[in-house]
């Protein structure tokens, strides 16, 4: 007899959906949306449904593996854990604990996935990664401007007159917001999409604005300039609640609208239109993450924040500079879970440059690496160097469900459970503010074990087992502690499956900002020269690097795939994935290319090959290859991308990437 149980999507995604999972004979057989989830309301995407395949696939890792003379052999958990623990003890004595690097990413939104940090802190503190490939530049930017990165609650969209979707691929990456956009449009809201690619969201827009990649900050500057010319700015907000406006005015005085138009490839008329839209309040701005993955990414988000501030769309219903919603994650007690105070030593490498840092590390060198919830060989930029680094360390341990490109390089591969095989709580700090309960629904196959079990076993062998002598429920209750006073407990979550967290639904309504001045800061007060807004452009652009732009004339975007969360699904598709190279019409014309042609795309960092698809409406000189594709299917695209960091040091420059391409014969 099958039964239907409520659960939650674990994937790193804006939407954090509620599931109804059908189970038959201890097996997940179907995943559907939970109609009772207040935000996701019964609809889920293909990636959510594919979790059934991710759970049941015969490609799952079922036993610990050890590489012996270049090939993997199956070993017992006992042997794997004993050997890894012995190495950890030896490294601690011989080199110090920071000779261990913990490389991790965001593959799973479960709260208990953070217990790996508890393990490494109790061990003594290792080399950890800082920054984020994903949203780092923009988060830091909003911290400078507002003191935090908070968004309006999803249903506030129905208070907006105008909705600007700025570089967010809503229909593909944030489907429940797309549903709300359709509804808002029906109710009369005007939707404007700004994106170099004419994506599915652009199709429902009242106006689609195409822009040269990486130039959005300049566009925002142009719109502010027009607002000031028209006298359409919110003088009261600027005077009462902001700091550094004079610096912004001075910056804008140094550039003409025509210059901005030439650089952004957006007409002056469009900037005037947008100035009027921003003045016609309330106007909501929804930024995506694509446009901050450029060297100037922090400044880009800051100039868009500035536009929202100048127009007085901050702290009002239907407005907002919506980028991320960190207040969701800030609701939980993570310090108690991760025990940061327990580490005695500490070293940090940039997540972008982790590979270069490993290769040049001294005092101590990296002797051992752990990869959890990440697949750096496909996801981290400049694959060539990543491969060198990950192959160079004496011991690489990868904890995963599949033999990924990264796992292939490992000395030990430890098989872990999927979400339906362990209990956890799930939330996303990107969009809505509900936390979902995910029960254990089925037994894990083979010898796959939860990440938490692995850390507990290792902790016992290393002599700090008492720090892990808690049940999953106790760990979860620990993180829910601050929410008790709001009536949010594990017991209640188990009954209700999803609960609303106590966040600000219209952030900054009180105009009290968390910046040093307490105001919105056009000039980030404590950042010195760096705190001034600029008219920065991407590194790999004709404006900054004309020689490179001559050699490599086209801008490569590597956006998120429709049918996979990053690298998680390609190997499970019914049809073998083909590398698709989407190009703007002018590139096809210049290079004599047609749909289906096989091409090589290259720059100084590497090359990949794939099949052409011409995009009629993409911005000239722009191409795209979806990210996440595995080596066996001609990937990864990160062979082409750069590991440089953004202006504020905390983000990636994955889309700041010039390339050339040519037709080659298909072998
Ligand atoms: N299907 C699917 N959904 C996902 C994911 C996935 O892998 N697959 N991943 C999840 C994760 S981890 C994240 S971080 C989010 C990301 O969600 P999004 O921010 O929506 O997605 P991205 O693919 O990062 O890029 C978004 C958009 O930015 C545009 N863009 C690129 N450069 C520029 C630019 O210079 N200016 C402007 N205006 N636009 C630009 C791209 O054309 C694209 O439409 O999606 C989440 N949802
Ligand atoms: N070129 C390019 N590169 C990009 C991006 C881009 O837009 N373009 N986007 C960037 C962004 S936004 C992000 S967020 C990163 C994502 O980068 P990653 O998080 O590294 O990518 P994923 O493919 O989602 O997941 C990595 C691995 O985690 C495993 N995994 C899943 N669940 C668990 C679990 O519970 N435990 C353990 N131990 N492992 C698990 C999966 O099987 C998978 O192999 O990629 C970044 N890289
Ligand atoms: S991947 Fe995102 S949209 Fe799809 S089911 Fe999961 S949370 Fe929902
Ligand atoms: Mo991400």
């Amino acid at each position: 007899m099958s039964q239907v149980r409520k659960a939650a999507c674990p994937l790193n995604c804006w939407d954090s959906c509620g599931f109804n999972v059908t189970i038959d004979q201890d097996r997940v057989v179907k995943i559907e949306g939970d109609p009772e989830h207040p935000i996701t309301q019964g609809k889920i995407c293909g990636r959510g449904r594919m979790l059934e395949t991710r759970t049941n696939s015969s490609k799952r890792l079922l036993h610990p593996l050890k590489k012996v003379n270049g090939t993997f052999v199956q070993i017992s958990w006992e042997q794997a854990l004993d050997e890894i623990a012995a190495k950890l003890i030896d490294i601690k004595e011989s080199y110090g604990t920071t000779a261990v690097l913990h490389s991790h990413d965001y593959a799973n939104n479960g709260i208990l996935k953070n217990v790996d940090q508890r393990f490494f802190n109790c061990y003594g503190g290792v080399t950890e990664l800082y920054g984020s490939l994903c949203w780092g530049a923009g988060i830091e930017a909003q911290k400078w401007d507002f003191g935090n990165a908070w968004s309006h609650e999803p249903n506030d969209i129905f208070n907006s007159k105008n909705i600007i979707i700025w570089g967010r691929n809503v229909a593909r990456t944030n489907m429940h917001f797309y549903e709300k956009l359709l509804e808002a449009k029906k109710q009369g809201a005007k939707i404007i999409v700004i994106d170099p690619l004419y994506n599915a969201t652009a199709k429902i827009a009242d106006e689609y604005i195409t822009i040269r990649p990486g130039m959005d900050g300049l566009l925002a500057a142009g719109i502010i300039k027009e607002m000031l010319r028209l006298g359409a700015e919110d003088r009261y907000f600027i005077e009462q609640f902001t700091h550094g406006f004079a610096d912004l005015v001075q910056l804008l005085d140094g550039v003409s609208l025509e210059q901005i138009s030439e650089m952004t490839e957006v007409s002056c008329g469009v900037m005037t239109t947008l100035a009027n839209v921003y003045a016609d309040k309330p106007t909501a701005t929804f930024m995506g993450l694509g446009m901050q993955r450029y060297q100037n990414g922090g400044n880009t988000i800051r100039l868009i924040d500035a536009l929202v501030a100048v127009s007085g769309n901050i702290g009002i219903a239907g407005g907002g500079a919506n980028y991320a919603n960190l207040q969701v994650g800030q609701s939980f007690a993570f310090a108690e879970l991760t025990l940061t105070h327990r580490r005695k030593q500490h070293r940090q490498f940039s997540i972008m440059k982790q590979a270069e840092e490993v290769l040049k590390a001294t005092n101590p060198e990296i002797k051992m690496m752990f990869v959890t919830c990440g697949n750096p060989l496909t996801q981290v930029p400049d694959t060539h160097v990543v491969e060198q680094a990950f192959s160079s360390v004496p011991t690489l341990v990868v904890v995963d469900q599949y033999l990924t490109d990264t796992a292939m390089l490992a000395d030990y591969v430890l098989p872990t459970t999927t979400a339906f095989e362990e209990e956890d709580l799930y939330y996303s700090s990107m969009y809505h503010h509900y936390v979902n309960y995910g029960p254990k629904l089925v037994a894990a196959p083979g010898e796959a074990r939860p990440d938490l079990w692995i850390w507990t076993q290792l902790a016992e062998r290393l002599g700090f087992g008492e720090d892990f002598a808690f049940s999953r429920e106790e760990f979860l209750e620990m993180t829910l502690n601050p929410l008790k006073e709001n009536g949010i407990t594990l017991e209640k979550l188990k009954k209700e499956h999803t609960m609303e967290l106590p966040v600000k639904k219209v952030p900054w309504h009180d105009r009290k900002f968390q910046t040093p001045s307490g105001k919105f800061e056009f000039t980030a007060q404590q950042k010195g020269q760096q705190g001034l807004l600029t008219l920065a452009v991407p590194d790999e652009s004709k404006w900054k690097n004309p020689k490179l732009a001559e050699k490599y004339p086209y801008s490569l975007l590597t956006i998120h795939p429709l049918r996979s969360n990053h690298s998680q699904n390609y190997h499970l598709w019914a049809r073998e994935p083909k590398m698709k190279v989407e190009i703007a019409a002018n590139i096809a014309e210049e290079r004599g290319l047609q749909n289906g042609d096989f091409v090589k795309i290259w720059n100084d960092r590497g090359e990949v090959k794939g099949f052409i698809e011409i995009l009629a409406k993409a911005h000239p000189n722009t191409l795209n290859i979806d990210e996440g594709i595995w080596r066996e299917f001609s990937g990864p695209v990160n062979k082409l991308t750069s590991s440089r960091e953004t202006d504020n040091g905390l983000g990636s420059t994955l889309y700041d990437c010039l390339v050339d391409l040519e037709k080659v014969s298909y072998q």
Side-chain angles (χ1 to χ4, degrees):
M1 258 280 284
S2 69
Q3 63 169 145
V4 178
R5 298 271 310 272
K6 283 186 195 286
C9 185
L11 292 173
N12 171 24
C13 171
W14 298 93
D15 293 56
S16 210
C17 290
F19 282 166
N20 277 353
V21 179
T22 309
I23 302 150
D24 196 6
Q25 297 181 359
D26 201 29
R27 196 177 153 90
V28 169
V29 292
K30 191 157 72 177
I31 301 167
E32 294 168 297
D34 172 9
E36 288 172 8
H37 192 283
I39 301 293
T40 64
Q41 298 183 334
K43 289 199 176 164
I44 59 167
C45 78
R47 293 166 292 145
R49 280 190 295 273
M50 269 292 272
L51 288 167
E52 182 267 313
T53 316
R54 269 192 74 83
T55 303
N56 294 323
S57 167
S58 58
K59 295 182 180 166
R60 276 282 295 273
L61 287 167
L62 301 179
H63 306 281
L65 301 173
K66 179 182 181 180
K67 201 175 272 160
V68 182
N69 298 328
T71 43
F72 283 120
V73 293
Q74 185 180 321
I75 57 171
S76 68
W77 271 110
E78 202 70 8
Q79 183 187 346
L81 295 164
D82 285 350
E83 289 183 11
I84 292 168
K87 283 179 195 288
L88 282 166
I89 290 167
D90 180 50
I91 288 170
K92 186 171 182 169
E93 281 168 6
S94 311
Y95 310 99
T97 53
T98 53
V100 174
L101 173 80
H102 176 209
S103 177
H104 57 94
D105 215 315
Y106 298 130
N108 181 313
N109 275 344
I111 282 185
L112 294 184
K113 295 297 155 183
N114 296 286
V115 171
D116 49 8
Q117 290 176 45
R118 184 184 187 94
F119 173 81
F120 290 114
N121 288 332
C122 292
Y123 170 60
V126 296
T127 302
E128 292 276 356
L129 303 178
Y130 71 85
S132 163
L133 298 169
C134 172
W135 60 358
I139 294 283
E140 183 67 2
Q142 292 216 313
K143 284 185 177 168
W144 290 12
D145 299 340
F146 297 92
N148 222 322
W150 290 351
S151 284
H152 290 223
E153 65 117 353
N155 288 327
D156 183 56
I157 186 102
F158 300 117
N159 295 315
S160 306
K161 249 197 217 174
N162 304 293
I163 302 164
I164 317 286
I165 306 296
W166 206 323
R168 194 186 297 188
N169 200 358
V170 180
R172 179 185 291 195
T173 66
N174 189 186
M175 66 173 284
H176 297 92
F177 180 38
Y178 181 73
E179 298 286 325
K180 293 209 186 287
L181 281 181
L182 292 175
E183 189 63 39
K185 189 178 157 90
K186 242 192 252 162
Q187 294 182 17
K190 185 173 171 183
I191 298 173
I192 297 175
V193 167
I194 307 174
D195 203 298
L197 301 179
Y198 181 74
N199 55 27
T201 319
K203 288 185 188 148
I204 63 154
D206 295 279
E207 199 162 339
Y208 164 62
I209 295 160
T210 173
I211 182 168
R212 190 178 174 88
M215 292 296 188
D216 304 84
L218 260 88
L219 174 60
I223 304 168
I224 300 173
K225 212 172 154 66
E226 274 304 83
M227 290 202 84
L228 298 179
R229 184 181 66 82
L230 297 166
E233 74 275 21
D234 186 332
R235 275 280 149 197
Y236 179 73
F237 182 83
I238 293 168
E239 275 158 22
Q240 298 296 312
F241 306 115
T242 72
H243 166 82
F245 183 62
D247 295 335
L248 174 62
V249 172
Q250 199 186 349
L251 177 76
L252 299 177
D253 283 347
V255 63
S256 72
L257 204 66
E258 289 69 26
Q259 274 172 305
I260 292 177
S261 170
E262 190 196 345
M263 293 173 81
T264 54
E265 298 173 2
V266 176
S267 73
C268 295
V270 164
M271 289 186 256
T272 314
T273 305
L274 286 171
N276 285 314
V277 168
Y278 269 94
D280 183 24
K281 288 187 277 198
T283 293
T285 305
F286 289 85
M287 292 173 255
L289 279 45
M291 71 191 156
Q292 44 96 59
R293 296 192 191 115
Y294 296 82
Q295 199 281 332
N296 57 339
N299 189 69
T300 295
I301 300 297
R302 293 197 63 216
L303 276 167
I304 297 173
D305 288 348
L307 166 59
V308 180
V310 166
S311 61
N313 277 298
I314 287 172
I316 61 168
N322 302 283
Y323 173 74
N325 206 2
L326 291 190
Q327 50 180 343
V328 178
Q330 287 161 355
S331 306
F332 304 98
F334 279 109
E336 278 182 75
L337 192 68
T338 58
L339 296 182
T340 311
H341 67 277
R342 288 287 298 280
R343 66 183 181 212
K344 297 194 180 79
Q345 286 177 314
H346 193 220
R347 178 166 64 176
Q348 285 193 311
F349 289 169
S350 143
I351 190 167
M352 279 60 74
K353 291 192 181 294
Q354 55 186 291
E356 284 137 281
E357 299 264 29
V358 165
L359 290 171
K360 65 173 201 233
T362 52
N363 201 17
E365 289 176 12
I366 297 296
K367 297 291 177 191
M368 190 171 189
M369 257 160 94
F370 277 83
V371 177
T372 64
C373 290
N375 185 7
L377 258 289
T378 63
Q379 297 311 119
V380 172
D382 209 351
T383 311
H384 177 66
V385 184
V386 179
E387 184 168 6
Q388 245 181 300
F390 280 65
S391 314
S392 76
V393 285
T395 308
L396 174 64
V397 181
V398 174
V399 185
D400 208 304
Q401 298 139 350
Y402 287 93
L403 204 55
T404 61
D405 288 353
T406 308
M408 288 297 286
L409 294 183
D411 299 286
Y412 294 91
V413 183
L414 305 180
T416 193
T417 41
T418 64
F420 306 127
E421 296 152 6
E422 57 184 15
E423 180 187 36
D424 213 333
L425 294 175
Y426 301 91
Y427 70 91
S428 158
S429 282
M430 297 174 80
Y431 178 53
H432 70 71
H433 57 284
Y434 288 78
V435 55
N436 301 332
Y437 175 66
K440 177 176 173 178
L441 299 177
V442 292
E447 295 181 291
R449 295 280 184 272
D451 294 73
L452 176 58
W453 180 88
I454 300 171
W455 305 122
T456 306
Q457 290 291 316
L458 286 172
E460 281 169 7
R461 284 165 173 76
L462 288 162
F464 50 90
E466 72 276 11
D467 293 308
F468 283 77
F470 301 93
S471 66
R472 292 185 81 91
E473 295 199 340
E474 284 167 335
F475 273 127
L476 289 173
E477 273 159 3
M478 217 181 260
T479 52
L480 289 173
N481 246 339
L483 291 163
K484 253 193 210 146
E485 61 187 38
N486 303 92
I488 301 174
T489 60
L490 186 59
E491 204 187 339
K492 210 151 171 216
L493 266 163
K494 283 186 185 185
K495 276 198 213 110
E496 302 196 4
H497 307 286
T498 185
M499 289 183 83
E500 194 174 4
L501 294 165
V503 301
K504 298 234 172 359
K505 295 188 173 171
V506 176
W508 320 120
H509 186 63
D510 55 6
R511 312 290 198 273
K512 290 198 176 94
F513 298 96
Q514 295 179 359
T515 53
S517 64
K519 297 187 168 189
F520 175 92
E521 297 195 353
F522 293 111
T523 298
Q525 217 183 19
Q526 289 185 339
K527 301 288 169 188
Q529 191 66 16
Q530 221 199 341
L532 287 167
L533 287 166
T534 68
L535 299 173
V537 296
D539 252 358
E540 300 201 2
S541 65
K542 67 176 175 189
W543 306 102
K544 200 151 166 190
N545 205 334
K547 273 209 182 119
L548 190 77
E550 225 167 85
K551 192 170 167 196
Y552 299 117
Y554 305 126
S555 292
L556 173 70
L557 309 182
T558 52
I559 69 168
H560 293 198
L562 176 65
R563 293 197 176 79
S564 184
N565 227 43
H566 312 295
S567 67
Q568 296 201 34
N569 288 356
Y570 287 95
H571 60 305
L572 302 173
W573 290 355
R575 271 213 269 152
E576 182 164 309
K578 262 184 164 183
M579 172 90 94
K580 190 165 74 181
V581 182
E582 298 174 307
I583 60 173
N586 81 301
I587 303 178
E589 223 166 88
E590 282 173 30
R591 296 301 158 99
L593 295 169
Q594 288 176 355
N595 282 327
D597 279 352
F598 192 62
V599 291
K600 174 177 99 170
I601 305 103
W602 78 96
N603 60 21
D604 290 345
R605 289 177 289 265
E607 70 166 55
V608 296
K609 288 177 183 165
F611 299 90
I612 287 293
E613 190 170 312
I614 300 165
L615 301 176
K617 286 195 185 177
H619 199 81
N621 302 315
T622 306
L623 60 146
N624 173 59
I625 303 174
D626 287 352
E627 52 107 351
I629 196 159
W630 294 36
R631 176 182 299 254
E632 65 176 296
F633 311 119
S634 319
V637 286
N638 279 319
K639 285 179 188 166
L640 299 167
T641 58
S642 144
S643 64
R644 278 191 302 266
E645 291 137 351
T646 55
D647 42 12
N648 57 32
L650 294 175
S652 67
T653 60
L654 291 161
Y655 300 179
D656 196 340
C657 181
L658 288 176
V659 294
D660 200 356
L661 82 171
E662 70 180 12
K663 194 169 161 174
V664 290
S665 60
Y666 181 59
Q667 341 76 348

